Amino acid sequence: MAFSLWLTLVLACVVISFTPGAGAINTMGNALTHGFRRAIWGILGQQAALVVLIAVVALGVGVLVASSPLLFAIIRYAGAAYLAYLGLRLLLRRPVVAVADAGDAPAPAESRWSMFRRGFWVNLLNPKAIVFFLAFLPQFIRPGQPLLPQYATVVVTVVAVDIAVMWGFFAVAAHGFRRFTRTPRGQRVVDRVFGSLFVGVALLLAFIH
């Protein structure tokens, strides 16, 4: 891949990663609830999903998804349902962080695997990401050149940029407000805000074509 083309790819990835979406919401929620360092596990799950989506598009399966209204609708509604589930779970969750001067120990943190798995499904169950990559990837692939190195370059670039933006911006931005989660009232506010955001993204995914 030519250096000028790669720089264009990097710029495009930066713009895409900074666009608010379910991944950014998930990252900020993790940073607020579990801290900046542990938020990386959710981000890594999201990157694993991106790799799968790029592979799906590269293998041509994405064309089938994009051209089949029924299959697209099934994946779209499954993704919306999962995001709605995450949002409702936050909205209904009872505060688990003890007040500092009450002398109680905080509740156990969510496991790394659980955070990774949640991040993976948040990104994977987004059929519009497949359609997006169908339109995005061909701009940076030259059919007359070996495909594997080109796709490898795209994968490494997309993942590296997204990790940098998610962890270096969204997680950092959210971590600054983590003190609000140290009280039951603050945790309720955070859960309601991010629960509402997840539900809102689910509704957009389900009803906006």
Side-chain angles (χ1 to χ4, degrees):
M1 181 180 293
F3 183 69
S4 58
L5 183 62
W6 179 76
L7 285 180
T8 305
L9 173 63
V10 171
L11 179 60
C13 289
V14 169
V15 173
I16 294 163
S17 294
F18 270 109
T19 303
I25 295 170
N26 187 59
T27 297
M28 294 180 74
N30 283 337
L32 276 168
T33 305
H34 305 292
F36 171 75
R37 290 184 180 179
R38 289 183 66 86
I40 189 62
W41 294 102
I43 295 171
L44 291 177
Q46 293 168 201
Q47 305 317 307
L50 289 182
V51 173
V52 171
L53 289 175
I54 292 174
V56 165
V57 171
L59 292 172
V61 181
V63 177
L64 175 63
V65 174
S67 61
S68 172
L70 177 59
L71 185 57
F72 183 85
I74 290 173
I75 299 177
R76 177 162 61 93
Y77 287 121
Y82 183 66
L83 292 178
Y85 160 75
L86 292 178
L88 291 174
R89 189 174 67 171
L90 287 175
L91 291 171
L92 298 175
R93 184 170 68 177
R94 297 180 62 183
V96 294
V97 178
V99 180
D101 51 7
D104 297 327
E110 182 180 3
S111 72
R112 295 170 179 175
W113 169 241
S114 175
M115 296 172 68
F116 180 94
R117 187 174 62 245
R118 176 158 46 82
F120 178 80
W121 288 113
V122 162
N123 263 8
L124 189 69
L125 290 175
N126 184 359
K128 294 195 174 183
I130 296 179
V131 175
F132 170 78
F133 278 124
L134 275 174
F136 176 75
L137 289 183
Q139 312 302 320
F140 302 96
I141 301 298
R142 298 295 179 261
Q145 301 175 11
L147 295 179
L148 185 58
Q150 294 184 76
Y151 277 110
T153 300
V154 169
V155 168
V156 171
T157 303
V158 168
V159 168
V161 170
D162 202 55
I163 289 177
V165 172
M166 289 295 156
W167 208 27
F169 178 78
F170 288 110
V172 168
H175 185 69
F177 295 93
R178 199 185 177 201
R179 64 182 181 276
F180 294 115
T181 66
R182 294 175 182 170
T183 66
R185 181 181 179 182
Q187 191 177 69
R188 276 195 297 269
V189 171
V190 169
D191 285 348
R192 287 171 182 171
V193 168
F194 283 92
S196 299
L197 288 173
F198 270 122
V199 172
V201 172
L203 292 174
L204 289 175
L205 183 62
F207 296 111
I208 294 182
H209 301 271

